[in-house]
Amino acid sequence: MDKTDTIKSTSKLSITYLVIAVCCTFVTVFGLQLFNRHLLMSYSLPMRMILMIITRWLLILGPGILMVVNKEKLGDIGFQKDKILKQIGVGIYLAFAMSLVLTVLPILLGFKDMTGSTTYTKAWQFTYQFVYDIIGVALTEEFIFRGYIFKKLLEIRNSRRFAILISSLLFGLFHIFNGNLIQVFMTAFLGFLFCMLREKIKGCTLLSLIIAHGIYDALIVLWVSIL
């Protein structure tokens, strides 16, 4: 088998793994939507808080199994072991920068209703929101879309523009089960933005994106409640 055949074979396998990962992710998120809608409220508040995080981790089951089967490591999808504190610091900085531009400024300009809403009044509620958004939402979504899927797209076609575009579109479609097309477009834009931050900001890693994504989401609730 020559080099060209090897590349084609690798690309076909990557397409297969990508399709499996995307299907597993979308089926799982649909299942989570049904669970949250019909069963979650039957549990006590402490149990609901735990289940909301644990069930989100089910999203990485498909890609995670594929990684184990193919003996891929976390470093292969963008995680880095060195300079952890710097990576976290970059994520925090990006979260607040994004929050000021995409949340605080629109609220001050009179678009608060379009920014978000909340009924939170207690400190523990806001604290939980940060925990949930970071280790529940951001961890799984960045692992899947800017991690595993992004890597497979690069294997299929060695073009970062291609990987950025397709992973961002898939990230937007991932939110279609919320029944809001505006959110699909907005999250696709955010997916593109997260990709560009990693491409353009020195020291921005997958861990940085997890921190930035989680804190940014949680800050929306905080700003809406106090501004």
Side-chain angles (χ1 to χ4, degrees):
M1 182 180 292
D2 59 25
K3 185 177 180 180
T4 301
D5 291 335
T6 302
I7 293 174
K8 288 182 179 179
S9 177
T10 302
S11 180
K12 288 180 180 179
L13 282 174
S14 297
I15 291 173
T16 301
Y17 295 140
L18 175 65
V19 171
I20 293 173
V22 170
C23 289
C24 286
T25 300
F26 277 62
V27 168
T28 303
V29 76
F30 178 68
L32 291 183
Q33 289 284 338
L34 293 178
F35 174 79
N36 292 339
R37 189 177 305 164
H38 300 291
L39 296 175
L40 183 63
M41 294 307 294
S42 63
Y43 294 92
S44 64
L45 178 59
M47 183 58 68
R48 290 203 303 270
M49 294 169 67
I50 295 172
L51 285 173
M52 284 177 64
I53 293 175
I54 293 177
T55 54
R56 290 290 304 190
W57 292 344
L58 293 175
L59 290 168
I60 66 175
L61 190 59
I65 291 175
L66 290 174
M67 288 183 66
V68 172
V69 170
N70 291 292
K71 298 180 180 180
E72 295 174 294
K73 300 178 181 179
L74 292 176
D76 296 330
I77 64 171
F79 285 102
Q80 297 181 15
K81 296 180 180 179
D82 58 327
K83 300 180 180 179
I84 298 296
L85 291 179
K86 180 180 179 181
Q87 295 179 53
I88 294 173
V90 170
I92 294 173
Y93 168 78
L94 292 176
F96 278 92
M98 290 174 57
S99 188
L100 288 174
V101 175
L102 301 178
T103 305
V104 175
L105 184 59
I107 289 176
L108 295 178
L109 291 175
F111 298 100
K112 184 174 182 178
D113 291 340
M114 297 177 60
T115 303
S117 62
T118 183
T119 58
Y120 289 175
T121 57
K122 298 178 176 61
W124 69 265
Q125 293 174 312
F126 294 101
T127 301
Y128 175 77
Q129 189 69 44
F130 275 88
V131 174
Y132 169 72
D133 281 334
I134 294 172
I135 68 173
V137 176
L139 174 61
T140 55
E141 292 184 358
E142 296 304 319
F143 180 99
I144 296 168
F145 292 97
R146 259 67 66 186
Y148 187 83
I149 287 177
F150 193 90
K151 177 179 180 291
K152 291 304 165 188
L153 289 168
L154 284 178
E155 292 175 355
I156 294 168
R157 181 176 176 182
N158 188 23
S159 167
R160 302 194 77 81
R161 290 184 179 180
F162 172 76
I164 290 170
L165 176 62
I166 302 302
S167 64
S168 300
L169 289 175
L170 289 173
F171 184 58
L173 290 173
F174 172 76
H175 293 82
I176 198 169
F177 297 109
N178 293 331
N180 189 334
L181 288 178
I182 294 178
Q183 187 172 9
V184 171
F185 288 110
M186 287 300 298
T187 49
F189 166 74
L190 286 174
F192 175 80
L193 178 59
F194 287 134
C195 286
M196 294 308 297
L197 290 175
R198 185 168 61 178
E199 293 293 310
K200 302 299 183 180
I201 302 298
K202 184 178 180 180
C204 183
T205 65
L206 193 61
L207 175 59
S208 302
L209 292 183
I210 291 172
I211 300 300
H213 185 165
I215 294 178
Y216 166 75
D217 282 357
L219 283 174
I220 293 175
V221 176
L222 180 62
W223 292 132
V224 167
S225 69
I226 64 178
L227 293 179

